[in-house]
Amino acid sequence: MQARNSFLLPLLTILVVIPMLATDIYLPAISFMGEDLIASHSAIMLTLTSNMAGYSISLLSSGVLSDVYGRRIIVLCGIFIFALASLVSCFVTSVDQLTWCRFFQALGGGCSTLLARVIVRDLYDFKSQVRVLSYLAAGLIASPILGPIIGAHLTVHYGWRSIFYALSFFSFISFGLLCVFMKESKPIELGGNLPVSNILKKYLKLLTHYEFLFHTLIISFAWTVYFSFTSSSPGLLQRIYKLSPLEYSYLFSLSISGYIFGTIFIRRNIDRMDLKYLIYFSGLIIFISTSFLAIFSLLDIDSLFLLLPCIFLSLFGVGVIFPATQAGVTRSFKTDIGLISGLFYSIEMMFGAFASFILSIFSSASWTSTSLLMLCSAVMIVALTCIDRFSSFRFTLRHIKRIL
């Protein structure tokens, strides 16, 4: 696959949208699923936890496998697993069965989420990577904005199982398109193998690499901010405010649009602003907005006119951080890009699984638990960026003293 291939961006967009759509289209139907499968709020939330756990395992393994066997074959296997799991989900009769199906959906879909970004790293220089990743991030907005609306209409008119029929159809069609148009982006080395001990050593070495650890923790806490709201949103908006699936989908899409403005902002400012300054700036926005969100919730102020603007600004910051960290994490490396990216995204999804597990402990969704989890994550982002800026300042001072 060459960077000038006119099919490249559409194919990459398909790869990142499919697994995200599986969650976003699913959100408006959560309460209906709980009623139909006779499941509690905690049990339904565990379907989101299993989804994040499947993502994490998929990301950790698919990057390594793609370094050995190539990107194309791993992507195709992943999409096929995702399609099969979606089809089986149409016929589940219990929440436990749905939990396992969601796990295998993510196990297959995580491959495409990761390898779309790895392919960008294979084919583009650094500045172009940030632009392409921001385009992909913007393309992802079709999922959180349109996904819930589509899911709400399908649920209202055809029942919640129609969502999984739609996902099955879309993923099998996508599998066919990828078979025909997707080419290999990485030369496959003959005699490649999978030395497990060597891989573990590389993982441990990465976890002590400053730049890798910085970008990984930043995106993981940013993902916690994002996923805390999205996973809680059906309970927050539908149960507390008694919104219909359609009303919920439109309000959710409006809130989540802050993310798209974040991706537009970084695309327009990447040439004239330092990447880490953009991360620092975004962290402050997330911290301020989640602080107000937590204050409002602790004071029992439940007006959506006050709460949702805070969500919008938080997700604006997340929209800047995602493409910035995705491009920055591999900047210091020349080889093992799949392995590095796999560990990077796997840790991010582990944080998402942990966030949804924490929220599942509560018997029902609440603005207080959600906002406090978002605020804690924002505090960590600001702390990490401040430590990085202080370390860079000290390094610069030492360098000046040597020169003088």
Side-chain angles (χ1 to χ4, degrees):
M1 185 187 299
Q2 301 299 320
R4 62 177 179 273
N5 187 340
S6 59
F7 292 107
L8 179 59
L9 279 178
L11 288 174
L12 293 177
T13 302
I14 287 174
L15 291 180
V16 295
V17 164
I18 285 180
M20 291 298 293
L21 187 64
T23 295
D24 297 319
I25 199 173
Y26 167 91
L27 292 174
I30 282 182
S31 59
F32 287 85
M33 293 176 189
E35 293 173 6
D36 189 36
L37 298 175
I38 316 176
S40 65
H41 168 76
S42 296
I44 288 293
M45 284 295 290
L46 286 177
T47 66
L48 296 170
T49 303
S50 71
N51 192 254
M52 289 296 102
Y55 262 118
S56 184
I57 295 171
S58 176
L59 295 167
L60 195 62
S61 57
S62 60
V64 177
L65 292 171
S66 75
D67 281 339
V68 176
Y69 302 110
R71 319 299 190 205
R72 184 177 185 273
I73 184 63
I74 304 302
V75 166
L76 292 177
C77 289
I79 293 296
F80 189 71
I81 292 171
F82 176 91
L84 283 179
S86 299
L87 186 60
V88 174
S89 298
C90 301
F91 308 103
V92 298
T93 56
S94 71
V95 71
D96 291 335
Q97 293 173 0
L98 182 61
T99 300
W100 279 107
C101 286
R102 294 286 291 163
F103 174 82
F104 282 104
Q105 263 191 325
L107 192 67
C111 299
S112 63
T113 299
L114 168 67
L115 295 182
R117 276 95 172 196
V118 174
I119 290 169
V120 171
R121 176 60 173 75
D122 288 341
L123 299 176
Y124 292 95
D125 59 47
F126 179 72
K127 289 289 186 182
S128 298
Q129 285 174 40
V130 177
R131 289 194 181 89
V132 174
L133 287 170
S134 67
Y135 276 114
L136 293 183
L140 279 174
I141 285 302
S143 175
I145 288 182
L146 297 179
I149 296 173
I150 295 170
H153 279 282
L154 288 173
T155 301
V156 169
H157 297 292
Y158 305 105
W160 65 267
R161 294 178 191 274
S162 64
I163 288 174
F164 292 102
Y165 281 112
L167 285 173
S168 303
F169 176 77
F170 181 56
S171 52
F172 277 117
I173 291 294
S174 299
F175 177 78
L177 291 173
L178 291 165
C179 283
V180 175
F181 295 110
M182 185 178 181
K183 307 300 180 184
E184 181 58 60
S185 66
K186 177 187 179 294
I188 303 172
E189 298 176 7
L190 295 177
N193 52 44
L194 201 63
V196 176
S197 61
N198 189 36
I199 290 170
L200 292 176
K201 288 178 182 178
K202 289 181 178 180
Y203 281 151
L204 291 174
K205 187 176 180 180
L206 281 173
L207 293 175
T208 61
H209 189 284
Y210 176 79
E211 287 297 318
F212 175 84
L213 203 56
F214 172 79
H215 288 96
T216 300
L217 290 175
I218 291 291
I219 198 173
S220 297
F221 284 116
W223 176 250
T224 303
V225 171
Y226 179 94
F227 196 68
S228 295
F229 171 68
T230 56
S231 61
S232 300
S233 60
L236 293 175
L237 300 180
Q238 286 183 284
R239 294 191 180 186
I240 295 177
Y241 300 95
K242 308 301 180 184
L243 300 181
S244 69
L246 286 174
E247 290 171 332
Y248 160 78
S249 66
Y250 289 119
L251 200 57
F252 177 84
S253 299
L254 181 64
S255 305
I256 213 79
S257 63
Y259 181 83
I260 185 67
F261 287 99
T263 64
I264 293 172
F265 178 84
I266 188 173
R267 190 163 64 244
R268 292 182 175 178
N269 290 277
I270 184 60
D271 287 327
R272 59 189 183 88
M273 295 178 72
D274 178 71
L275 201 64
K276 284 193 173 179
Y277 179 78
L278 285 168
I279 294 173
Y280 172 72
F281 167 77
S282 303
L284 287 178
I285 291 176
I286 296 172
F287 172 71
I288 293 169
S289 55
T290 54
S291 295
F292 277 104
L293 186 67
I295 291 169
F296 291 147
S297 62
L298 289 170
L299 294 175
D300 290 326
I301 300 173
D302 58 1
S303 170
L304 291 178
F305 290 103
L306 294 175
L307 298 174
L308 292 185
C310 295
I311 295 293
F312 180 92
L313 288 173
S314 299
L315 298 185
F316 173 88
V318 172
V320 176
I321 284 176
F322 275 16
T325 51
Q326 288 163 4
V329 72
T330 57
R331 183 161 52 173
S332 304
F333 302 95
K334 300 296 182 183
T335 59
D336 296 322
I337 301 303
L339 180 145
I340 294 164
S341 301
L343 184 60
F344 172 72
Y345 290 111
S346 177
I347 293 173
E348 176 193 352
M349 292 300 154
M350 286 179 189
F351 274 65
F354 181 72
S356 61
F357 176 74
I358 291 295
L359 294 172
S360 73
I361 294 173
F362 300 92
S363 58
S364 61
S366 74
W367 281 108
T368 301
S369 58
T370 302
S371 63
L372 289 177
L373 185 56
M374 293 172 70
L375 177 58
C376 289
S377 301
V379 169
M380 293 306 299
I381 293 172
V382 172
L384 288 167
T385 55
C386 288
I387 291 170
D388 178 74
R389 288 172 69 82
F390 180 69
S391 300
S392 300
F393 177 71
R394 291 184 62 186
F395 176 80
T396 303
L397 280 181
R398 286 198 300 268
H399 185 67
I400 291 173
K401 288 179 179 178
R402 289 196 193 102
I403 295 174
L404 296 175

